Amino acid sequence: MPAQRARRQPGQGRGQQPPAARNGRRKFSARRKRALLWTCGVTAFVIVAGSAGAYALYQKFNGNLDTVDVGDAGSKNVAGEGPLDILVIGTDKRTGEGNEGYGDKGSAGHADTNILFHVSADRTNATAMSIPRDLVTDIPDCTTKQADGSRKVVPGTRNARFNVSLGQEGRDPGCTMRTVKKITGVSVDHFMMVDFNAVKTLSTAVGGVEVCLDKAVKDPDSHLDLPAGKSTVQGEDALAFVRTRHSFGNQSDLDRIKVQQQFIGSMIRRMKSDDTLSDPGKLFDLADAATKALTVDYGIGSINKLTSLARELGRIDTKNITFVTMPVKDNPAEPTPVTVVLEPQKAGQLFAMLRSDTSLSEVKKKEQAARSKQQAVLEGSRAEAADIRVDVLNGGDITGAAGATVEWLRSEQGVTQSTNRANAPAKIDRTTLAYAPAQADQARALADIMGLPATALKQGTSDTEGLQAMVLTLGADFEGAGVPLTGPAKAPEDIQRAGADTAVCAK
């Protein structure tokens, strides 16, 4: 892959362990023995890391990481105040001992397994949306950083499989992030990438992952050989379980996605169990295996940054993590369908829920609202439309959106004190409404009129002077005057979903 990768410290390579680190297991956990959980690849969404008890140990884990500069495809900040979106990529690159027979020989690795992990702004819930590798879509132009530090634009491709958004034609993970944004309208903050070896090393580090089969399976292609019922798999058996394609359902990649989601959910439960969190040696092995397996963007490319991210993601209860698969259908352009295309209505509805930070989990609305400062801003009195003062700026992609919105607000909604301030200083992804504490009743009223989600409202710390107006900045999520920005109240019908806290048997 041509992307510029960060160099490890001398003597700190993947296969090397400094003396302080070799003796550091007890020290690693003795310092408060914190278990921090965060998302990671096809193998799991959770990696447990403890506080480093020695500088050499910190250097070891830091040296394990690979990083890629994806430019403006991601965020420079670990996590902001709003929702957080992480793209987890599992590649079919053949690295690691015993993996020579897997994947495409000589390939730089495709985006073989892909999950967009959306974490809510209040960190109470998350949606993990699997993206089929055989989805036919348009891959946009993307700028990649070369080994000599120069930048190269890789031309986009129309009607291509999603999995070639990585590795092919010199594309890096930033290209996959841009492809996800083009499809869903969701801006991806960070990526985490793992290969075949990660499944084996992480499943072994936790002492095996429990899986369940509705019937016995003996697959000569993946080499999976398990009886019906529950089994604990690790190493080669774990890799065979997530790779098998001809053992379940209609033997498609969509059925394999369901099996992979089952494995990831089980891995999460295993990693969050007391058996793992109370075992210093297991924690060390897990953190070591995890950091060796990972390639990440610069925005989270250090142990300090990953630890900060872990604090954010570790707040999510397993029962509030929902796995879904992007709604697709057989490609009508193929006589015998091999690829898939978006199911427009259901996919659009699901994407709208992600963009508006609407939960798919069973979090009770009252419970969620009580824990969400953002949700609380919508509770209270509303100003009359004629008393709303707002300046409208266009930070989105629709030419003339600010003017059209002001015209709609004035002529159809009675917001006569709205003013067109033309283009915003910079483009933004999500629409925002900035207001002072004394303008809260105006903000709530405008949110009702515009269909703004609670996450769009940004209350300042100081009050206004005189008749100062609020500032509404339209983002890329704005589709037109009168089109609500809030997501649908519920998920589309018949969407495939599963909870991370529920064990199911693969059929």
Side-chain angles (χ1 to χ4, degrees), residues 409-491:
L409 287 172
R410 288 177 176 175
S411 62
E412 298 188 31
Q413 302 301 318
V415 185
T416 55
Q417 298 187 73
S418 54
T419 305
N420 175 15
R421 298 299 183 188
N423 292 331
K427 297 279 188 179
I428 61 173
D429 293 323
R430 296 183 177 93
T431 297
T432 62
L433 176 62
Y435 64 99
Q439 297 172 318
D441 59 340
Q442 296 183 47
R444 287 189 285 267
L446 188 61
D448 292 343
I449 293 171
M450 294 285 299
L452 299 177
T455 52
L457 275 61
K458 309 296 181 184
Q459 180 175 293
T461 56
S462 58
D463 259 324
T464 59
E465 295 181 4
L467 299 177
Q468 183 176 331
M470 301 182 295
V471 177
L472 174 67
T473 305
L474 306 175
D477 57 348
F478 179 77
E479 297 180 0
V483 180
L485 291 172
T486 48
K490 62 179 182 178

Side-chain angles (χ1 to χ4, degrees), residues 30-44:
R31 293 277 305 268
R32 292 174 293 185
K33 201 159 52 178
R34 294 187 304 221
L36 301 177
L37 307 162
W38 53 280
T39 310
C40 173
V42 62
T43 57

Side-chain angles (χ1 to χ4, degrees), residues 111-112 114 131-137 160-164 245 252-254 256-257 328-329 331 334 338-341:
D112 194 57
N114 312 276
I131 304 172
R133 67 176 190 176
D134 294 331
L135 173 70
V136 173
T137 188
R161 292 194 190 200
F162 181 88
N163 68 343
V164 301
R245 181 168 179 163
S252 71
D253 188 54
L254 297 179
R256 179 165 61 174
I257 285 174
V328 295
K329 61 183 180 180
N331 188 348
E334 297 173 338
V338 175
T339 60
V340 294
V341 295

Side-chain angles (χ1 to χ4, degrees), residues 322-339:
T322 303
F323 292 102
V324 297
T325 301
M326 180 182 289
V328 295
K329 61 183 180 180
D330 288 341
N331 188 348
E334 297 173 338
T336 302
V338 175
T339 60

Side-chain angles (χ1 to χ4, degrees), residues 270-351:
R270 179 67 168 169
M271 288 180 173
K272 298 187 83 167
S273 69
D274 291 340
D275 180 55
T276 299
L277 300 182
S278 62
D279 187 330
K282 192 174 288 186
L283 279 174
F284 179 94
D285 290 342
L286 185 55
D288 190 36
T291 49
K292 284 179 179 177
L294 273 177
T295 299
V296 299
D297 60 279
Y298 276 15
I300 52 174
S302 71
I303 295 301
N304 281 341
K305 292 178 180 179
L306 287 175
T307 301
S308 297
L309 182 62
R311 292 193 183 99
E312 295 287 320
L313 304 188
R315 294 157 56 186
I316 307 169
D317 193 310
T318 307
K319 69 180 181 181
N320 295 330
I321 300 175
T322 303
F323 292 102
V324 297
T325 301
M326 180 182 289
V328 295
K329 61 183 180 180
D330 288 341
N331 188 348
E334 297 173 338
T336 302
V338 175
T339 60
V340 294
V341 295
L342 285 180
E343 203 293 321
Q345 184 175 359
K346 291 181 181 179
Q349 198 172 354
L350 178 58
F351 300 161

